[in-house]
Amino acid sequence: MKFPKDFMIGYSSSPFQFEAGIPGSEDPNSDWWVWVHDPENTAAGLVSGDLPENGPGYWNLYKNDHDLAEKLGVNTIRVGVEWSRIFPKPTFNVKVPVERDENGSIVHVDVDDKAVERLDELANKEAVNHYVEMYKDWVERGRKLILNLYHWPLPLWLHNPIMVRRMGPDRAPSGWLNEESVVEFAKYAAYIAWKMGELPVMWSTMNEPNVVYEQGYMFVKGGFPPGYLSFEAADKARRNMIQAHARAYDNIKRFSKKPVGLIYAFQWFELLEGPAEVFDKFKSSKLYYFTDIVSKGSSIINAEYRRDLANRLDWLGVNYYSRLVYKIVDDKPIILHGYGFLCTPGGISPAENPCSDFGWEVYPEGLYLLLKELYNRYGVDLIVTENGVSDSRDALRPAYLVSHVYSVWKAVNEGIPVKGYLHWSLTDNYEWAQGFRQKFGLVMVDFKTKKRYLRPSALVFREIATHNGIPDELQHLTLIQ
Ligand SMILES: OC[C@@H]1[C@@H](O)[C@H](O)[C@@H](O)c2[nH]c(CCc3ccccc3)c[n+]21
């Protein structure tokens, strides 16, 4: 079972979860930083109390991890740049032309050469140069880099989550709830494309915008900032993030010819029983809303076509971990516990699939079904930009890895243009509100010594990467045929 010769195999990471760990690498200027250090959040059990400054230390140890990645046969990594490191101070004063339509939507932001030069004066040059140094180290090994501009933290001057939680979004810097975030994001995106355009083979504007507004304003028990329950706020954040993606897309294109995509949190939505047409409508409105709009310009809910939002998806990053299982009762979708993300940690689902330490059901079939559905819906190149399992004993991961790679291979073999498989992740890292208790690494990290240790799955991964597919002698591990 071989992939095409230029197939991308590797891992994904994010700045906030991997960079800090060695003294001097801290970035205290983001909403997530203050959020996980907030004593009230810790006392309330919203966050774990673990701190990112005790993390894997990629900011300083990047050469070691790149060496390790090479040894494991990695040819591509998806990484990020932290907005709050680049612009620790507000960029509002760099004025750029903004055009609105009759409804006040931001349809155009024009960040030109003069504007990026002025942003360059505001930028934290030490951070900029360090990112260039880190990522050049990888690219100069003749390997590929995919650069994602936003993976959840916002600069404090844009979003103060403690103030929002205490005083409400109208009397605090409210992040994605405020339309100015659209303009500031477009400026930040343009600046990075101008400054680092030579490094990546492809761009992504955002990682999982849906998780940011769902966890921040709806499922507020998950411990995401600002933990402010409001469906209206979730809607507003979603609207602004859609616009921010589109305006960033336009401005990256001014400074770079590389493809610009979006990395999104998908689950396989499975219907156990009930009318399929009701379920498909539900899926379109829930799962495909954001990507429908940035590819087709409209969605099942927003039928009004937005030319300024359409055709802004050169490629689609698919983050897949598990499924969500529903039944339809009186035309209403009811989610079934025990399956998918609602499984019991360390338990077994009703379908007899094992569940991870995080309580996520192992369901590799879902990745194949999802890739097929996404290609039929959007017709763009796909990359599995995240897939992995929280598994401290490495008991599930060998079969999890081979089975999901098999699902990708099956899709590729049917002509679906999946261009890569990036595992989540190379090393253990800081799992947001969960801190260090979830272990997603192929490689274990001793967070006291920062030493890295290969889990057995790292060797399984190496066999797959160096073989560029699943070697015959590993096919017994796949849970699916
Ligand atoms: O939870 C593992 C990883 C995170 O470490 C990544 O930063 C994030 O991109 C990511 N997304 C998902 C799937 C969606 C999800 C997010 C948060 C909580 C539960 C599910 C899993 N993960």
Side-chain angles (χ1 to χ4, degrees), residues 14 17 151-152 207-208 211 215 224 265 319 321 341 358 360 386 424 429 431-432 440:
S14 81
Q17 297 175 268
H151 196 127
W152 303 0
N207 176 84
E208 301 192 339
V211 172
Q215 297 281 329
F224 278 53
N319 289 359
Y321 289 85
F341 283 96
F358 218 158
W360 300 354
E386 283 184 29
W424 186 272
N429 59 86
E431 181 54 34
W432 308 106
F440 276 95

Side-chain angles (χ1 to χ4, degrees), residues 308-376:
D308 69 294
L309 300 179
N311 304 313
R312 273 131 175 116
L313 195 70
D314 298 343
W315 68 277
L316 182 55
V318 181
N319 289 359
Y320 174 82
Y321 289 85
S322 188
R323 61 175 170 174
L324 292 171
V325 178
Y326 294 86
K327 66 180 181 184
I328 307 283
V329 178
D330 305 334
D331 271 3
K332 282 216 178 11
I334 308 288
I335 195 162
L336 299 182
H337 284 251
Y339 294 97
F341 283 96
L342 305 179
C343 203
T344 315
I348 301 278
S349 77
E352 318 234 314
N353 296 319
C355 304
S356 75
D357 298 348
F358 218 158
W360 300 354
E361 181 188 18
V362 177
Y363 190 66
E365 305 87 319
L367 179 53
Y368 163 73
L369 295 165
L370 176 68
L371 291 168
K372 199 158 72 167
E373 189 157 279
L374 287 172
Y375 183 58
N376 291 338

